Amino acid sequence: MISWPVFSPISVCMPFPCEDIMSYEIIAIGDELLLGSTLNTTSHTIARKLFEAGWICRRITTVGDDTTDIKDVLLQAIERTDFIILTGGLGPTTDDITSEAAAHAMNLPLTINGDVLNTLHAHNGFSQRIKEKLASMPFGSVPLKPEGDASGYLLIHGDTPLFFLPGVPGQAVALLQEKVIPWLQNHLPAQAVYYRVMRTFGLPETEINRLVSAASIPADITIGYYPVFPEVLISILYKRQKNESADAGSGGHGIEDALSFWQRLVSLLDRHVICEGDETLEAVVGNLLLQKGATVATAESCTGGLIASRITSIAGSSQWFERGVITYSNQAKMDLLKVRQEILEQFGAVSEQTAIQMAKGLRRLAKTDYALAVTGIAGPTGGSPEKPIGTVYIALATPQQTSCQRFLFSRSENNHRPLTRTSIQQLTAETALDWLRISLQYGAHIYSSRYTG
Amino acid sequence: MISWPVFSPISVCMPFPCEDIMSYEIIAIGDELLLGSTLNTTSHTIARKLFEAGWICRRITTVGDDTTDIKDVLLQAIERTDFIILTGGLGPTTDDITSEAAAHAMNLPLTINGDVLNTLHAHNGFSQRIKEKLASMPFGSVPLKPEGDASGYLLIHGDTPLFFLPGVPGQAVALLQEKVIPWLQNHLPAQAVYYRVMRTFGLPETEINRLVSAASIPADITIGYYPVFPEVLISILYKRQKNESADAGSGGHGIEDALSFWQRLVSLLDRHVICEGDETLEAVVGNLLLQKGATVATAESCTGGLIASRITSIAGSSQWFERGVITYSNQAKMDLLKVRQEILEQFGAVSEQTAIQMAKGLRRLAKTDYALAVTGIAGPTGGSPEKPIGTVYIALATPQQTSCQRFLFSRSENNHRPLTRTSIQQLTAETALDWLRISLQYGAHIYSSRYTG
């Protein structure tokens, strides 16, 4: 049994163009973001954290380290929006020009903040010139954390707060959580809406859309589908009406409708729902193992450690994960899992018989409750007419029995392109972990997937 | 010895605001990108691929699934730029409204394309309504790949080409490479510049900046520093002068200066250069092992399979990777690596003695040339005053000897925040692989790092 968490309201603004609703924008600055050298994870994380705190981002604009472009986008955003988060270009190197460009845009002198400079004095790695650069900000700015190494700052232009944060994800998010969000909560009230997300695996986006559309969506609910390979996230967004109570328990009709629609969705998608919320599959599996006091071990061939790496990314995983082996060679399969040489010779390393022996051997040797084994062909070479690239055998040994299924991860779901090596590895790891989840949650030995075959 | 690849010229436009230079923008559409549910990898990859083909992106704007916002940003971008790539919102679900919004913005009717509709007829998973939605585009648009499932389309507005691509990374990038780039190469000449990137590990960005600045940068060269945890990428960008030859070999002074500056950089940063180019560390290590005909095995504790997973992400890795073990429990360390119980009891699982026995045992059992072993405390719990969180022992067994070093991955480099579990795992995996690289490349037994201690 899984327990459904209570439908939890959070306060957010709407992303839709209503003039009376608070909105904000993110401006990300850095040539590396435009050249494609660096993935813009900072903006992504800021959008997510602010969303969780109650504000929906209206626009994210990425520009290079260029004074004219920064000025142009900053002045336009000020016209459109209630507050702005800028990230990037505050660092020590010569291509960091955000403070200078912002001062230029606002027609303000660039000044050195004494508090920030004092903090930096203790830093032996920086020259005086670099310290002064790091402590520079447009006149009138207030450092967000003068005692920190990456202080960031707030400049209020007219009535628009501009938050300047570093581009490095960890530094930006720390300042956001410690300084920006508390400031916003004190100064800019968020509008109340209900938002909820679930993570699914195993149904293509179109099939989910068909099922959901047939469930008669209430008019004031917005549904989102977000494929994040190999999963699909589904969200519902409901904006509370002005005359409704803020308390979900005693809420008006609208909230009750949203709640019951959510529950209909969950029943409809059934076992494909990994979790209500966006916990990762490995976190859900870890939690189920912990609840049962059960342990698991993994034997991987084509996934090369990806399954173990996902399981052990969760803090506390030593309580449920005993060992993993990556048996790339036949010798390793014989040494570490006691797969018999005759089996390997007769059926091959990629076969049901080998997968079953891997799982059984592993469970016996590791003395765990569960053992997961995978063997397959991730490509780009090594396929044959009988076992084409994407052929994978997954075996699951449980306290009751050992089952094996053959999968063919050959084609992506919505188009007909062959999957890459990386996609086959990801889909194999996801399927193995999902089978373990289904087994733990429903006691099922058989796992059905559209890739079975 | 590594051989330095020839300085290879590619043709690109400049990102700087020169009116006479060709520039383009990306518009990414989707609520999920603004809510922080989905990381915008599609725009990132498009920017990178187009950059490699010769065009530098001037701006990336992300907006939600909102007709007014899409119209607003599209019309503004048309004023500023030479061509536009739009991604997202072309899918089958009800929140996909890009084609409708673009038709509205351009004042064009939305029409169903017969060729695309015909291709979709074969697709049994879609209803007629969905097929018609997928085949809809503003009047005058030309499908990029009518025979594909996700065809995308080109609409020329005035003299500005607008390319509409799906939001799913694989589909968008395939269309970009097969259709968009060839079209651009035929229609819009790119401007020639030289660009080169190297991947480094082990020096903080500020230290690199200090070293590079002291090397007297030629005036017409732009240097970029892109920290991608735990590495730093360094790029140089040199724009060829109009009267210079396009051939690097017989190039003018400027190109020779760029070439020799690059070589100075490489010598300066020495062993910290993982590669000239942006090959991953695991690809470089795989290549070195392949060249030597050598093999490796891994024994991991705190990294939980991350090292093996990185090694086996490379196609062909079965030629150099024999096995990996993830020995989370003491029993697994004894079973799979023959670590002696007394050692574990006397010194603990996280100790130099255990790490050395892990590496030695693994190399003997796996019969490989090299064996890497790591044992440490990734946190968030499990630290002690003697062995705080972030304490990691890495041992490397080579045909000559087995060495072990203690590292303390406790604080990030530029600020003083403690590292997270994930960062400690990443830094440990990177350090272990980098030590193997240094050993293969220079025959060095000792690995020096600022985290040694």
Side-chain angles (χ1 to χ4, degrees):
Chain A
M1 269 312 279
I2 27 172
S3 62
W4 305 128
V6 177
F7 188 79
S8 60
I10 52 170
S11 291
V12 293
C13 295
M14 297 295 287
F16 314 111
C18 310
E19 290 313 312
D20 59 330
I21 288 178
M22 193 101 353
S23 77
Y24 84 96
E25 299 193 12
I26 297 174
I27 300 173
I29 297 158
D31 283 344
E32 71 278 17
L33 303 170
L34 293 179
L35 298 181
S37 347
T38 302
L39 190 57
N40 193 353
T41 56
T42 304
S43 297
H44 167 75
T45 312
I46 289 173
R48 177 179 208 121
K49 297 283 175 193
L50 275 177
F51 176 68
E52 287 165 4
W55 289 273
I56 295 185
C57 183
R58 181 78 179 272
R59 189 177 294 196
I60 302 172
T61 311
T62 307
V63 290
D65 298 308
D66 176 88
T67 309
T68 315
D69 282 356
I70 295 171
K71 178 179 172 179
D72 177 48
V73 68
L74 181 54
L75 295 180
Q76 280 190 20
I78 288 172
E79 291 303 308
R80 270 191 309 255
T81 197
D82 298 301
F83 68 95
I84 299 169
I85 310 273
L86 296 96
T87 75
L90 299 185
T93 53
T94 37
D95 55 351
D96 293 310
I97 59 157
T98 298
S99 297
E100 208 182 310
H104 180 66
M106 308 281 120
N107 248 325
L108 293 169
L110 196 65
T111 52
I112 296 172
N113 184 284
D115 292 342
V116 175
L117 193 63
N118 274 340
T119 305
L120 291 168
H121 271 314
H123 203 304
N124 297 322
F126 293 140
S127 70
Q128 182 61 20
R129 202 184 52 77
I130 285 184
K131 286 175 187 166
E132 287 178 5
K133 180 170 176 8
L134 288 170
S136 292
M137 47 194 76
F139 180 75
S141 302
V142 182
L144 291 169
K145 196 177 178 180
E147 71 280 15
D149 266 12
S151 89
Y153 54 89
L154 166 63
L155 173 64
I156 300 185
H157 175 82
D159 58 355
T160 309
L162 315 177
F163 296 92
F164 291 79
L165 304 181
V168 177
Q171 294 176 352
V173 173
L175 281 174
L176 188 82
Q177 290 186 302
E178 289 169 33
K179 302 294 174 179
V180 179
I181 291 176
W183 193 96
L184 289 170
Q185 281 166 340
N186 281 333
H187 294 82
L188 303 177
Q191 188 178 346
V193 301
Y194 294 94
Y195 174 80
R196 197 139 183 212
V197 68
M198 67 175 88
R199 199 179 268 271
T200 72
F201 175 62
L203 287 177
E205 195 188 349
T206 47
E207 175 64 11
I208 296 173
N209 191 226
R210 200 187 58 73
L211 285 169
V212 172
S213 301
S216 60
I217 308 167
D220 44 2
I221 281 180
T222 309
I223 308 235
Y225 306 91
Y226 314 137
V228 184
F229 185 83
E231 301 171 353
V232 179
L233 273 72
I234 304 168
S235 68
I236 73 167
L237 186 68
Y238 167 73
K239 186 179 149 202
R240 197 172 61 228
Q241 303 308 304
K242 285 212 171 85
N243 53 353
E244 265 183 83
S245 154
D247 175 14
S250 65
H253 260 306
I255 289 168
E256 278 167 28
D257 284 357
L259 239 166
S260 86
F261 179 70
W262 178 262
Q263 279 155 359
R264 223 154 61 238
L265 271 194
V266 169
S267 326
L268 213 58
L269 300 172
D270 197 30
R271 297 188 180 190
H272 295 292
V273 179
I274 295 172
C275 66
E276 296 183 73
D278 72 345
E279 258 193 318
T280 59
L281 176 55
E282 51 271 28
V284 170
V285 165
N287 217 19
L288 287 166
L289 287 165
L290 192 65
Q291 279 169 26
K292 287 184 187 280
T295 54
V296 68
T298 56
E300 305 182 55
S301 167
C302 59
T303 44
L306 191 56
I307 300 173
S309 164
R310 286 183 62 174
I311 293 174
T312 57
S313 71
I314 306 300
S317 49
S318 60
Q319 290 168 85
W320 55 85
F321 184 72
E322 203 273 340
R323 75 179 64 172
V325 296
I326 301 141
T327 49
Y328 243 48
S329 70
N330 280 351
Q331 193 58 48
K333 291 184 184 75
M334 295 190 280
D335 288 356
L336 304 177
L337 300 167
K338 307 298 172 202
V339 176
R340 294 208 313 275
Q341 188 159 8
E342 314 88 82
I343 294 282
L344 289 167
E345 279 166 7
Q346 194 181 339
F347 301 101
V350 178
S351 67
E352 181 175 336
Q353 291 80 359
T354 298
I356 286 196
Q357 286 218 347
M358 287 169 72
K360 278 188 174 170
L362 177 64
R363 185 169 175 274
R364 195 176 64 243
L365 293 168
K367 299 188 179 61
T368 51
D369 302 296
Y370 294 84
L372 261 181
V374 303
T375 176
I377 303 155
T381 59
S384 69
E386 301 76 40
K387 293 173 186 171
I389 290 170
T391 302
V392 175
Y393 292 88
I394 303 182
L396 175 65
T398 73
Q400 288 78 40
Q401 66 177 86
T402 301
S403 321
C404 178
Q405 281 186 265
R406 181 186 158 120
F407 299 87
L408 184 58
F409 300 117
S410 56
R411 300 265 155 187
S412 57
E413 62 189 42
N414 269 333
N415 68 15
H416 296 275
R417 288 174 202 292
L419 291 169
T420 60
R421 175 180 177 85
T422 307
S423 303
I424 292 172
Q425 290 178 325
Q426 286 173 342
L427 207 40
T428 303
E430 180 85 7
T431 302
L433 285 170
D434 200 47
W435 187 0
L436 179 55
R437 173 182 72 85
I438 295 289
S439 172
L440 287 163
Q441 211 163 313
Y442 303 97
H445 296 303
I446 299 303
Y447 179 79
S448 87
S449 151
R450 69 180 182 287
Y451 291 106
T452 314
Chain B
M1 267 312 279
I2 28 173
S3 63
W4 305 127
V6 178
F7 189 78
S8 60
I10 54 171
S11 290
V12 292
C13 295
M14 296 295 286
F16 312 115
C18 310
E19 289 315 311
D20 58 331
I21 289 178
M22 193 98 358
S23 77
Y24 84 96
E25 297 194 13
I26 297 174
I27 300 174
I29 297 159
D31 283 345
E32 70 278 18
L33 303 170
L34 292 179
L35 298 180
S37 345
T38 302
L39 190 57
N40 193 354
T41 56
T42 304
S43 298
H44 166 77
T45 312
I46 290 173
R48 179 180 205 122
K49 297 281 176 195
L50 275 177
F51 175 69
E52 289 165 2
W55 288 274
I56 295 186
C57 182
R58 180 78 179 272
R59 189 177 293 197
I60 301 172
T61 311
T62 307
V63 291
D65 298 307
D66 177 88
T67 309
T68 315
D69 282 355
I70 295 171
K71 179 178 170 178
D72 177 46
V73 68
L74 180 55
L75 294 179
Q76 280 192 19
I78 286 171
E79 292 302 309
R80 270 193 306 256
T81 196
D82 297 302
F83 69 94
I84 299 170
I85 310 272
L86 296 96
T87 75
L90 300 185
T93 55
T94 37
D95 55 350
D96 293 310
I97 60 158
T98 297
S99 296
E100 210 183 310
H104 180 68
M106 308 280 120
N107 248 327
L108 294 168
L110 196 65
T111 54
I112 295 173
N113 184 284
D115 293 341
V116 175
L117 194 62
N118 274 340
T119 305
L120 292 168
H121 271 314
H123 202 304
N124 296 321
F126 294 141
S127 71
Q128 182 62 23
R129 202 185 51 75
I130 285 183
K131 287 174 187 165
E132 287 178 3
K133 180 170 177 2
L134 287 171
S136 291
M137 48 194 76
F139 179 76
S141 301
V142 183
L144 291 169
K145 195 176 180 182
E147 72 280 14
D149 267 12
S151 90
Y153 53 88
L154 165 63
L155 174 62
I156 299 184
H157 175 81
D159 57 356
T160 309
L162 315 177
F163 296 92
F164 290 78
L165 303 181
V168 177
Q171 294 176 352
V173 173
L175 281 174
L176 188 82
Q177 290 185 301
E178 289 169 31
K179 303 294 174 181
V180 178
I181 290 176
W183 193 96
L184 289 171
Q185 282 166 340
N186 280 332
H187 294 82
L188 302 178
Q191 188 178 348
V193 301
Y194 294 94
Y195 173 80
R196 196 142 185 210
V197 68
M198 69 174 88
R199 201 179 266 272
T200 72
F201 175 61
L203 287 178
E205 196 188 348
T206 45
E207 175 64 12
I208 295 172
N209 192 227
R210 198 186 58 74
L211 284 170
V212 172
S213 301
S216 59
I217 309 168
D220 44 2
I221 281 181
T222 309
I223 307 231
Y225 306 91
Y226 314 137
V228 184
F229 185 83
E231 300 170 353
V232 178
L233 273 73
I234 304 169
S235 69
I236 73 167
L237 186 68
Y238 167 72
K239 187 178 150 205
R240 197 173 59 230
Q241 303 308 303
K242 283 206 172 90
N243 52 352
E244 266 183 83
S245 154
D247 175 15
S250 65
H253 259 308
I255 290 168
E256 277 167 30
D257 284 356
L259 242 165
S260 86
F261 179 69
W262 178 263
Q263 279 156 357
R264 220 152 65 233
L265 272 193
V266 169
S267 326
L268 213 57
L269 300 171
D270 196 29
R271 298 188 178 191
H272 295 292
V273 178
I274 294 172
C275 66
E276 295 183 74
D278 73 344
E279 258 194 319
T280 59
L281 176 56
E282 50 271 29
V284 170
V285 165
N287 218 18
L288 288 167
L289 286 165
L290 193 64
Q291 280 169 22
K292 287 183 187 281
T295 55
V296 68
T298 56
E300 305 181 55
S301 168
C302 59
T303 45
L306 191 57
I307 299 173
S309 165
R310 286 182 62 174
I311 292 174
T312 58
S313 70
I314 306 300
S317 49
S318 60
Q319 291 168 85
W320 55 86
F321 184 71
E322 202 274 339
R323 75 179 63 174
V325 296
I326 301 141
T327 49
Y328 242 49
S329 70
N330 279 350
Q331 193 59 50
K333 290 183 184 77
M334 294 189 281
D335 288 357
L336 304 177
L337 300 168
K338 306 300 172 202
V339 176
R340 293 207 315 275
Q341 188 159 6
E342 314 87 82
I343 294 284
L344 290 166
E345 279 166 7
Q346 193 182 337
F347 301 102
V350 178
S351 66
E352 179 175 338
Q353 291 80 358
T354 299
I356 285 195
Q357 286 218 347
M358 287 169 72
K360 279 189 174 168
L362 176 64
R363 185 167 175 275
R364 193 176 65 241
L365 293 167
K367 300 187 180 61
T368 51
D369 302 297
Y370 294 84
L372 260 181
V374 302
T375 177
I377 303 154
T381 59
S384 68
E386 300 76 41
K387 293 173 186 172
I389 290 170
T391 302
V392 176
Y393 292 88
I394 303 182
L396 174 65
T398 73
Q400 288 78 39
Q401 68 178 86
T402 302
S403 321
C404 178
Q405 281 185 263
R406 180 187 160 122
F407 299 87
L408 184 58
F409 300 117
S410 56
R411 299 266 157 183
S412 57
E413 65 189 41
N414 270 333
N415 68 14
H416 296 275
R417 289 175 200 290
L419 291 168
T420 60
R421 176 180 176 84
T422 307
S423 304
I424 291 172
Q425 289 178 325
Q426 288 173 342
L427 206 40
T428 303
E430 179 85 8
T431 302
L433 286 170
D434 200 46
W435 187 0
L436 179 55
R437 173 183 72 85
I438 294 289
S439 171
L440 286 163
Q441 211 164 311
Y442 303 97
H445 296 301
I446 297 304
Y447 179 78
S448 86
S449 150
R450 68 180 183 285
Y451 291 106
T452 313

